């Protein structure tokens, strides 16, 4: 039996259709007819002897189990095919192309600017495209191939995601400038000291559970007064006396966007720090661009 044969065009058409779950959207992106996309994918499925896409009348497409596995491999194949062309053109001396990196929203303003500046200085012909979001959005982007790498906290990552710890972010308490605990010379506090205080909670998925668990594990029942998904909103509410907060990323200044000050206090409790990781899909070989970015994270990004 001869080995199946396929073309790059067929793979590119399949990738677009699988990503959009729509023949129409794929044809618009590729600027070819819808019938050309449909025919190429049908030929690919026939050659492979496997159905990758289910066609639903007026409801688009869905991937079969085989299609999901094949889609991940196709993303890797196309990425490295493009890199092969780039390497040939540049004789292996300079990285070019686009690298898409995801970053957890509260990490981005602290960690990305300096990292990107150094990476772009080293590799000026690589365009870094950023995707900022919360935990679930970033892991979904990794699994779909929308991003090659993601900088995020190391909790709740599935077995299909590789991660490398590049730093840690210990939790700390935040109170208003005129709060009784802010007057301590040591700038230290235990979680029990906050037991009767209202809380301003950073209400992001996974983050809120982690922050509330710190209190619960210390025998403190969190009394949440305000919830917000905005990191700087948390700091501003604390600065105006609406409650204390627990956070992990610590800015270099105590002044908030509102102009009032929020004072950070070191926790004396034995509480777990959050790992900061560079994540990628297990079993997917990274492009040279992604490998260089990860290496820079190891050396510069680490705390």
């Amino acid at each position: 039996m001869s080995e199946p044969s396929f073309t790059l065009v067929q793979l590119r058409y399949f990738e677009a259709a699988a990503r959009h779950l729509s023949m129409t959207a794929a044809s618009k992106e590729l600027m070819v007819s819808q019938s050309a996309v449909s025919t190429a994918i049908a030929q690919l499925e026939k050659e492979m002897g496997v159905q990758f896409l289910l066609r639903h009348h007026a409801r688009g497409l869905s991937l079969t189990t085989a299609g999901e596995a094949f889609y991940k491999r196709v993303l890797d194949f196309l990425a490295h095919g493009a890199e092969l062309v780039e390497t040939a053109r540049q004789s292996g001396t300079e990285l070019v192309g686009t690298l898409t990196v995801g970053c957890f929203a509260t990490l981005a303003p602290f960690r990305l600017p300096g990292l990107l500046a150094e990476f772009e200085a080293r590799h000026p012909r690589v365009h870094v495209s950023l995707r900022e979001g919360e935990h679930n959005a970033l892991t979904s982007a990794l699994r779909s191939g929308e991003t090659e790498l993601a900088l995020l906290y190391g909790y709740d990552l599935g077995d299909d995601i590789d991660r490398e710890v590049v730093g840690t972010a210990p939790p700390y308490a935040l109170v208003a400038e005129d709060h009784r605990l802010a007057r301590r010379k040591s700038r230290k506090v235990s979680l029990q000291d906050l037991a009767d205080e209202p809380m301003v909670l950073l209400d992001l998925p996974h983050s809120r559970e982690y922050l509330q668990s710190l209190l619960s594990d210390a025998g403190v029942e969190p009394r949440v007064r305000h919830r917000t998904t905005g990191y700087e909103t948390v700091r501003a509410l604390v600065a105006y006396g609406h409650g204390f907060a627990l956070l992990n990323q610590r800015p270099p200044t105590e002044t908030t966007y509102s102009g009032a000050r929020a004072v950070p206090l070191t926790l004396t409790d034995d509480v777990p720090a959050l790992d900061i990781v560079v994540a990628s899909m297990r079993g997917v070989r990274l492009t040279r661009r992604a490998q260089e970015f990860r290496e820079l994270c190891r050396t510069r990004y680490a705390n």
Side-chain angles (χ1 to χ4, degrees), residues 187-244:
R187 289 288 181 93
K188 294 181 178 181
V189 66
S190 73
L191 291 171
Q192 280 292 337
D193 290 331
L194 301 167
D196 297 324
E197 302 280 340
M199 182 181 189
V200 179
L201 179 65
L202 180 62
D203 195 17
L204 292 171
H206 303 280
S207 294
R208 59 174 171 256
E209 288 81 11
Y210 161 76
L211 295 171
Q212 289 180 300
S213 72
L214 296 177
L215 291 163
S216 298
D217 291 346
V220 177
E221 184 63 32
R223 184 160 60 90
V224 178
R225 175 181 288 178
H226 295 295
R227 298 171 180 265
T228 175
T229 59
Y231 171 86
E232 283 295 339
T233 306
V234 169
R235 295 183 70 240
L237 287 169
V238 169
Y240 270 86
H242 292 282
F244 77 94

Side-chain angles (χ1 to χ4, degrees), residues 62-197:
S62 62
L63 285 162
T64 64
T65 301
E68 291 178 354
F70 188 66
Y71 176 61
K72 293 178 181 178
R73 295 298 182 183
V74 167
L75 288 175
D76 190 31
F77 183 88
L78 292 177
H80 289 285
E83 187 178 21
L84 181 64
V85 173
E86 294 165 5
T87 301
R89 287 174 178 170
Q90 299 298 322
S91 301
T93 60
E94 185 177 16
L95 290 181
V96 297
T98 298
L99 171 66
T100 305
V101 175
C103 189
F104 191 70
T106 60
L107 281 174
F110 295 96
R111 307 291 178 161
L112 277 182
L115 178 62
L116 289 179
E118 185 167 346
F119 184 81
E120 291 169 358
R122 293 185 182 187
H123 308 290
R125 297 195 63 190
V126 175
H127 170 68
V128 181
S129 176
L130 297 178
R131 174 165 181 159
E132 188 176 337
E134 52 85 25
H135 188 88
N136 288 341
L138 294 178
T139 54
S140 295
L142 283 173
R143 291 187 173 104
S144 68
E146 294 175 64
T147 64
E148 265 199 276
L149 296 174
L151 299 175
L152 68 169
Y153 291 120
Y155 49 59
D156 294 321
L157 296 175
D159 293 338
D160 58 335
I161 295 178
D162 280 328
R163 76 295 311 261
E164 180 173 345
V165 177
V166 294
T168 57
Y172 66 94
L174 196 69
V175 297
E177 181 180 14
D178 59 357
H179 194 281
R180 59 182 176 83
L181 296 174
R183 293 191 287 272
R184 289 185 174 181
K185 290 183 179 180
S186 66
R187 289 288 181 93
K188 294 181 178 181
V189 66
S190 73
L191 291 171
Q192 280 292 337
D193 290 331
L194 301 167
D196 297 324
E197 302 280 340

